[in-house]
């Protein structure tokens, strides 16, 4: 199986890339909580409202240290949550 990585450094760029690459569908979106132009939770809300993107798996990454952040992201429909930085093994 082949993987194609489509980087986007802002939320708006990510949405543009989704429009440019409708097929094959995006399998996973790795979303930073603090994007330069849009909060990651807002981007998640946009993805979940669109029938074309609501099934994409989502992973939120953040440097936030509050224990409530993971619960908030998951409650709003994020599939998983990871704190950064993470240590290499």
């Amino acid at each position: 199986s082949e993987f194609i990585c489509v980087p986007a450094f802002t939320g708006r760029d990510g949405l543009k890339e989704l429009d440019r690459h409708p097929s094959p569908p995006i399998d996973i979106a790795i979303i930073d909580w603090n994007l330069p132009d849009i909060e990651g939770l807002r981007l998640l809300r946009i993805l979940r409202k669109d029938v074309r993107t609501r099934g994409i798996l989502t992973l939120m990454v953040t440097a936030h240290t509050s224990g409530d952040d993971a619960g908030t992201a998951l409650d709003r429909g994020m599939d998983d949550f990871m704190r950064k930085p993470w240590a290499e093994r």
Side-chain angles (χ1 to χ4, degrees):
S1 173
E2 184 177 310
F3 294 96
I4 299 170
C5 180
V6 181
F9 298 100
T10 69
R12 286 182 182 84
D13 286 348
L15 293 171
K16 287 178 191 175
E17 290 298 330
L18 286 170
D19 285 338
R20 287 182 33 180
H21 296 90
S23 183
I26 303 292
D27 293 313
I28 186 169
I30 301 171
I31 303 170
D32 196 302
W33 189 291
N34 294 312
L35 294 165
D37 61 341
I38 187 172
E39 185 180 67
L41 290 176
R42 177 156 163 65
L43 179 58
L44 173 67
R45 193 168 39 250
I46 293 167
L47 293 175
R48 293 298 186 239
K49 283 184 178 181
D50 189 325
V51 68
R52 298 172 304 137
T53 58
R54 71 174 48 137
I56 294 174
L57 293 174
T58 53
L59 172 66
M60 176 74 74
V61 293
T62 183
H64 288 204
T65 57
S66 168
D68 294 339
D69 291 337
T72 298
L74 296 170
D75 287 346
R76 294 192 185 173
M78 190 65 62
D79 292 300
D80 211 342
F81 185 92
M82 184 168 42
R83 295 193 198 293
K84 60 181 182 177
W86 48 85
E88 291 186 38
R89 292 184 181 206

